[in-house]
């Protein structure tokens, strides 16, 4: 199983300041393509729950194979993932 890490960024309909950012790991042993598709579906679900109006272009998915690159990118969004629990 390949270690994959992902970020789902859902921008608010009126402002990028109203973004929701969630992090995920590849717990189900998916390959990179399936993991990306799963994260995209998660992003759509987050948008549907939180916003009345959203564009699919407002949902961004980032997938990482490097733990260090993932942690660095999380820092840009002020997220500190606890990967020890995973």
């Amino acid at each position: 199983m390949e270690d994959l890490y992902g970020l789902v960024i859902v921008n608010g309909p009126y402002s990028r300041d109203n973004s929701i950012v969630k992090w995920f790991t590849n717990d189900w042993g998916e390959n990179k393509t399936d993991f990306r598709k799963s994260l995209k579906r998660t992003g759509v679900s987050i948008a549907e729950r939180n916003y009345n109006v959203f564009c699919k272009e407002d949902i961004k998915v980032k997938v990482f194979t490097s733990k260090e690159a993932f942690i660095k990118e999380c820092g840009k969004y002020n997220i500190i993932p606890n990967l020890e629990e995973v």
Side-chain angles (χ1 to χ4, degrees), residues 3 9 17 21 26 30-31 33 53 61 64 74 76 78-79 85:
D3 287 337
I9 303 133
D17 296 334
V21 181
N26 185 19
E30 299 165 308
N31 61 31
T33 303
V53 177
V61 171
F64 303 88
C74 285
K76 293 179 183 178
N78 295 321
I79 295 173
E85 290 181 0

Side-chain angles (χ1 to χ4, degrees), residues 32-81:
K32 193 171 184 177
T33 303
D34 290 338
F35 186 57
R36 181 178 298 280
K37 287 178 185 177
S38 175
L39 293 179
K40 194 70 167 176
R41 286 190 305 269
T42 299
V44 170
S45 176
I46 291 169
E48 287 174 342
R49 278 194 311 265
N50 291 284
Y51 305 116
N52 292 331
V53 177
F54 71 94
C55 296
K56 288 197 175 195
E57 293 79 28
D58 289 338
I59 301 167
K60 305 286 187 244
V61 171
K62 296 183 179 185
V63 175
F64 303 88
T65 55
S66 164
K67 184 188 249 185
E68 292 76 24
F70 171 68
I71 291 172
K72 183 177 177 182
E73 187 70 19
C74 285
K76 293 179 183 178
Y77 296 98
N78 295 321
I79 295 173
I80 303 170

